Amino acid sequence: MPPSGGRGPIRRVEWGVNMANLNGRTRLENTYDAIVVGSGITGGWAAKELTQKGLKTLVLERGPMVRHLEDYPTATTDPWQAKYPQGQLPPEELNAHYAVQKRTGYTLTEHTQHFFVRDDQNPYTEESRYDWIRGYHVGGRSLTWGRQSYRHSPIDFEANAREGIGVDWPIRYEDLAPWYDYVERFIGVSGQNEGLAQLPDGQYQPPMAMNCVEKAFKAKSEARFPERRITMGRTAHLTEPTEEQLSLGRTKCQYRNLCIRGCPFGAYFSSNSASLVAADRTGNLVIRPGSIVTSLIYDEKAGRASGVRILDAETRQEEEFYADVVFLCASAFNSAWILMNSTSSRFPNGFGNASDQLGRNVMDHHLGVGASGEAPEFADTYYSGRRPNGIYVPRFRNLGDAATQRSDYLRGFGYQGGASRSGWDRDLTKPGATPAPRGFGAERKAALSQPGPWVIGLGGFGEILPYADNRITLNHEVRDQFGLPTLSMNVTIRENEIAMRRDMQTAAAEMLEAAGFKNVQGRDSGYAPGLGIHEMGTARMGRDPKTSVLNAHNQVHECKNVYVTDGAAMTSASCVNPSLTYMALTARAADHAVQARKRGEL
């Protein structure tokens, strides 16, 4: 990251200076056109859009600096360089420091632990189990996200109103479609247009290729279930970079599948490799790491927010920054935390919370259910590379026609999955034996030199409805390492999601069996909210200030110069990965903010 990656302007205090003048000068030095809280997927986009439109913009990030290329310490670490077998941290370290982060079962290793929070330093209270997976650093979870990039469809934006669930979205697909186009062209999404109403097409670079088993699965399963389309995942990886992307220092995907460590090629989209770089090149960007935003500053006379208060993570000193426009992009829970912690005579129950919807309607995507099978007839074929992507099966339930209608649940699900051969790190334990490897030395080496069997799996991602009592609240009894209040979680899935899970398992097994795979087994390994790492809904958009926190442009109903564009804004969840929608909402909101500021409305 270029020079703006510092801690902000250096202030020199002179002896004997008039204190009023000093305070005035400090305020002037701490004043910007716009403030963005958070530097992840939405924070990076807000910074890019605001700076490119001419606004001097301060990005406040609570965690440390992470510079593209320089601060990916394990990006090129080879397997034999790992301290622990397969990089797996010892149980005592996981239990002591990462009790929640380890719950994913796959993201937290010695190669990635620097991109995840220590749970012992960042506590929260689980009134019901909630798996809050976090990363506090410049770039946030844009460095570790799954990169699957799908548009919400017209039926997603209309579903709440049609079914009488929650509140109606204040926008429709047509409002966001040009912004989806805009975002996809910049970030670079590889994929294939399919002409499906429930999965709108987009601006794609060439798709990654299916392997032989996936091609067979597509042909045979679609012959039996033509309504269940199988396509390549639409993923934010460059396969045919544009001139704009190359000019940012990005290049095409190298098929290493080490994305979660940080990509030195800039092949997948992250704030660090793309949006923050573009923002910095304008000369209008300042990034201040180690800046924990504790509240919004509300100007009672002006009836607007004048800035934010921070706690410096190093000095533990409080400081204030000022701007005409504030964008909260800290993630759904942290943006809600800031709003809830920003109380005043105007907002005694939390900033913009006259509706009492702040912190409510928590959504995620439920997962951990599907099916798998074996494909022994392809034992003589293999593939090259480690493709960082899989296949995708778009939603095929409850699409508005009798053929897809279910009577046991609302909404729907999609599948992500793929086929592969197990490799050199597979278990060679004899079936039924005590945990002892089948051979060792030359015998084991010979066995591992041959690829393992082909396996294929489908895992469902299902929509969770917005329930008002699925909520987070401020907990003043439990404090974090900085002495700040924490969150309490009370979020559960209900019968609608449970019924959907039964169908998700059954339908996956049906498809694999139709393709002729062997030893097909359905599975439901259970799910706790949060495990989808798609927290949403804590400050939802809506048409009525009495029932929602934000309006159609992501402005707080009661304070129009504060915008919230991360997952907090979501009114419903759909069943697709939400980050593309967050980015489109952010770009649209930033454009609105710049124009509204020019008109003197903010």
Side-chain angles (χ1 to χ4, degrees):
M1 191 64 62
S4 61
R7 297 299 305 275
I10 298 173
R11 295 184 294 276
R12 184 175 71 251
V13 179
E14 298 178 359
W15 293 106
V17 72
N18 180 279
M19 187 57 69
N21 292 337
L22 177 60
N23 290 339
R25 191 168 66 201
T26 298
R27 176 159 183 150
L28 181 62
E29 291 175 345
N30 283 10
T31 297
Y32 298 81
D33 297 326
I35 291 173
V36 176
V37 181
S39 61
I41 276 182
T42 55
W45 262 95
K48 171 187 175 294
E49 294 301 298
L50 295 169
T51 57
Q52 288 183 336
K53 290 175 170 63
L55 273 61
K56 297 290 185 181
T57 302
L58 173 66
V59 173
L60 296 169
E61 167 57 51
R62 68 178 293 151
M65 172 58 69
V66 173
R67 294 172 177 83
H68 182 52
L69 300 179
E70 298 175 42
D71 295 330
Y72 306 152
T74 61
T76 58
T77 300
D78 288 310
W80 54 87
Q81 294 175 303
K83 181 179 179 181
Y84 303 105
Q86 300 181 28
Q88 298 302 311
L89 294 170
E92 56 270 21
E93 184 171 353
L94 288 171
N95 294 334
H97 304 309
Y98 302 103
V100 174
Q101 306 308 301
K102 71 175 184 179
R103 292 178 185 174
T104 65
Y106 66 95
T107 57
L108 188 72
T109 68
E110 68 174 271
H111 305 302
T112 63
Q113 64 184 113
H114 48 283
F115 288 152
F116 292 87
V117 302
R118 279 182 46 167
D119 294 306
D120 54 328
Q121 296 176 346
N122 297 275
Y124 64 97
T125 300
E126 297 177 273
E127 296 180 29
S128 57
R129 176 173 166 174
Y130 193 94
D131 300 342
W132 191 11
I133 312 301
R134 295 172 280 171
Y136 291 160
H137 47 262
V138 169
R141 288 182 296 190
S142 79
L143 290 174
T144 57
W145 67 308
R147 306 168 304 283
Q148 294 290 295
S149 301
Y150 306 98
R151 299 183 179 202
H152 282 214
S153 71
I155 63 173
D156 293 321
F157 287 102
E158 298 161 6
N160 278 6
R162 183 175 60 251
E163 298 165 355
I165 300 294
V167 298
D168 186 17
W169 278 90
I171 60 174
R172 290 294 184 260
Y173 175 76
E174 292 72 22
D175 296 306
L176 212 53
W179 297 102
Y180 278 133
D181 286 347
Y182 179 65
V183 168
E184 287 163 347
R185 289 191 184 103
F186 179 79
I187 70 175
V189 178
S190 65
Q192 182 170 314
N193 288 325
E194 295 285 355
L196 299 174
Q198 72 271 31
L199 192 78
D201 293 332
Q203 308 299 316
Y204 301 131
Q205 296 183 10
M208 296 180 178
M210 292 185 185
N211 60 43
C212 59
V213 174
E214 293 162 349
K215 290 176 181 177
F217 175 51
K218 175 177 172 63
K220 295 178 181 179
S221 180
E222 287 184 357
R224 171 66 178 84
F225 301 107
E227 76 283 3
R228 304 183 191 182
R229 189 74 59 84
I230 301 168
T231 188
M232 271 309 297
R234 296 173 178 177
T235 186
H237 284 259
L238 303 183
T239 56
E240 195 173 275
T242 64
E243 288 300 319
E244 180 184 32
Q245 289 154 355
L246 291 170
S247 72
L248 291 170
R250 303 179 65 196
T251 189
K252 66 169 56 178
C253 180
Q254 303 297 301
Y255 282 52
R256 303 185 321 138
N257 198 26
L258 299 176
C259 316
I260 199 170
R261 303 184 190 185
C263 180
F265 305 96
Y268 76 75
F269 169 78
S270 70
S271 295
N272 307 57
S273 66
S275 52
L276 289 177
V277 176
D280 187 77
R281 290 183 178 181
T282 67
N284 291 327
L285 176 68
V286 173
I287 301 177
R288 193 182 196 279
S291 303
I292 304 166
V293 175
T294 58
S295 62
L296 294 159
I297 303 169
Y298 185 70
D299 187 329
E300 299 275 356
K301 293 182 179 178
R304 59 190 293 277
S306 58
V308 300
R309 297 182 185 89
I310 73 153
L311 181 68
D312 189 292
E314 293 181 10
T315 68
R316 307 295 175 102
Q317 298 298 306
E318 292 186 345
E319 199 163 349
E320 295 183 351
F321 293 91
Y322 309 94
D324 294 336
V325 182
V326 177
F327 268 68
L328 293 185
C329 302
S331 80
F333 286 179
N334 285 317
S335 288
W337 183 96
I338 291 168
L339 292 168
M340 289 189 285
N341 203 49
S342 300
T343 56
S344 62
S345 57
R346 172 70 178 85
F347 299 118
N349 299 315
F351 198 98
N353 193 29
S355 63
D356 190 34
Q357 293 302 308
L358 186 58
R360 295 184 179 274
N361 312 296
V362 173
M363 297 170 287
D364 184 31
H365 290 127
H366 62 99
L367 69 166
V369 59
S372 61
E374 300 172 358
E377 66 270 34
F378 293 91
D380 60 344
T381 60
Y382 199 62
Y383 51 89
S384 62
R386 294 188 290 244
R387 187 191 65 198
N389 190 15
I391 57 175
Y392 187 65
V393 182
R395 175 178 166 182
F396 51 87
R397 299 297 201 208
N398 295 327
L399 300 180
D401 60 306
T404 64
Q405 193 65 34
R406 297 283 299 194
S407 61
D408 51 341
Y409 65 86
L410 300 172
R411 311 290 168 94
F413 56 88
Y415 291 118
Q416 297 178 26
S420 63
R421 301 190 73 156
S422 53
W424 65 269
D425 57 349
R426 68 185 182 276
D427 181 24
L428 292 179
T429 302
K430 290 181 179 179
T434 57
R438 182 191 306 158
F440 51 87
E443 180 183 355
R444 184 174 180 82
K445 182 178 179 180
L448 289 174
S449 69
Q450 300 300 313
W454 276 101
V455 293
I456 183 169
L458 294 177
F461 272 67
E463 180 166 357
I464 294 178
L465 297 178
Y467 302 105
D469 56 346
N470 269 351
R471 67 184 303 192
I472 59 173
T473 53
L474 273 188
N475 186 338
H476 292 276
E477 301 301 318
V478 178
R479 301 273 171 163
D480 67 11
Q481 60 180 316
F482 301 103
L484 298 170
T486 58
L487 290 174
S488 290
M489 320 293 198
N490 190 352
V491 183
T492 60
I493 58 172
R494 314 296 166 87
E495 182 52 42
N496 194 75
E497 291 78 36
I498 294 170
M500 187 187 297
R501 293 179 72 81
R502 291 192 287 266
D503 188 30
M504 291 161 78
Q505 180 173 333
T506 299
E510 287 175 344
M511 295 174 69
L512 295 175
E513 288 169 348
F517 296 125
K518 309 301 181 185
N519 194 27
V520 173
Q521 296 183 355
R523 66 178 179 87
D524 187 342
S525 55
Y527 163 79
L531 195 58
I533 322 181
H534 295 162
E535 61 268 22
M536 295 174 271
T538 53
R540 69 184 177 190
M541 299 171 70
R543 300 177 184 274
D544 187 348
K546 295 179 180 178
T547 58
S548 59
V549 180
L550 309 175
N551 68 13
H553 296 288
N554 293 83
Q555 296 168 285
V556 173
H557 281 299
E558 299 168 79
C559 185
K560 295 298 196 293
N561 71 325
V562 176
Y563 292 74
V564 184
T565 66
D566 54 26
M570 301 295 280
T571 308
S572 65
S574 179
C575 66
V576 299
N577 303 58
S579 294
L580 186 70
T581 297
Y582 301 168
M583 290 186 269
L585 287 171
T586 302
R588 179 175 179 267
D591 183 70
H592 180 273
V594 171
Q595 300 305 319
R597 182 173 180 269
K598 287 180 179 178
R599 295 190 297 266
E601 297 174 4
L602 303 182

